[in-house]
Amino acid sequence: QVQLVESGGDSVQAGGSLRLSCAASGYTFTMYQMGWFRQAPGKEREGVATIYTVYSGRGGTTDYADSVKGRFTISQDNAKNTLYLQMNSLKPEDTAIYYCAADYNPSLRKWYAPDRFRYWGQGTQVTVSS
């Protein structure tokens, strides 16, 4: 199994930047895909970005929600077993709890569907003020 711990959440003004980190521990060598999700108060959890691992054979392939394309970048450092989300040009509507997610297996489910991923972190709060 894998354990995921997010960090880096903070309160920033609109237009600012943050970098979220997700440290993975446990059995990470055969991880297939990882992602970032977010959930704002009163809203459903939504996919933000995903990345396929080297193990998947699609190493480096990424995808993003339309709302964050061109502003957010997902990346991973395999040596550190850490997933990142660089967030630039932040907007008040980006305010949410951000979660890291991972799974060992491929899936027919869309990457942005929360039930695509089995393992989740506890979340980190991002607040963007206008």
Side-chain angles (χ1 to χ4, degrees), residues 31-113:
M31 192 61 62
Y32 188 89
Q33 186 178 6
M34 300 186 75
W36 286 99
F37 285 72
R38 66 186 181 187
Q39 188 165 17
K43 294 188 177 181
E44 295 185 350
R45 191 170 297 191
E46 63 175 357
V48 175
T50 191
I51 188 167
Y52 291 86
T53 69
V54 173
Y55 176 79
S56 74
R58 302 173 61 181
T61 301
T62 59
D63 204 354
Y64 298 88
D66 288 343
S67 59
V68 306
K69 280 181 181 177
R71 300 189 299 123
F72 290 12
T73 302
I74 188 171
S75 63
Q76 60 184 135
D77 185 329
N78 293 323
K80 295 181 179 180
N81 287 332
T82 301
L83 181 72
Y84 299 103
L85 184 68
Q86 177 66 44
M87 306 187 294
N88 298 327
S89 303
L90 283 162
K91 304 176 181 180
E93 50 263 43
D94 294 320
T95 295
I97 299 174
Y98 283 71
Y99 298 90
C100 173
D103 204 289
Y104 291 105
N105 300 305
S107 174
L108 295 177
R109 293 184 174 90
K110 300 294 186 183
W111 70 264
Y112 45 80

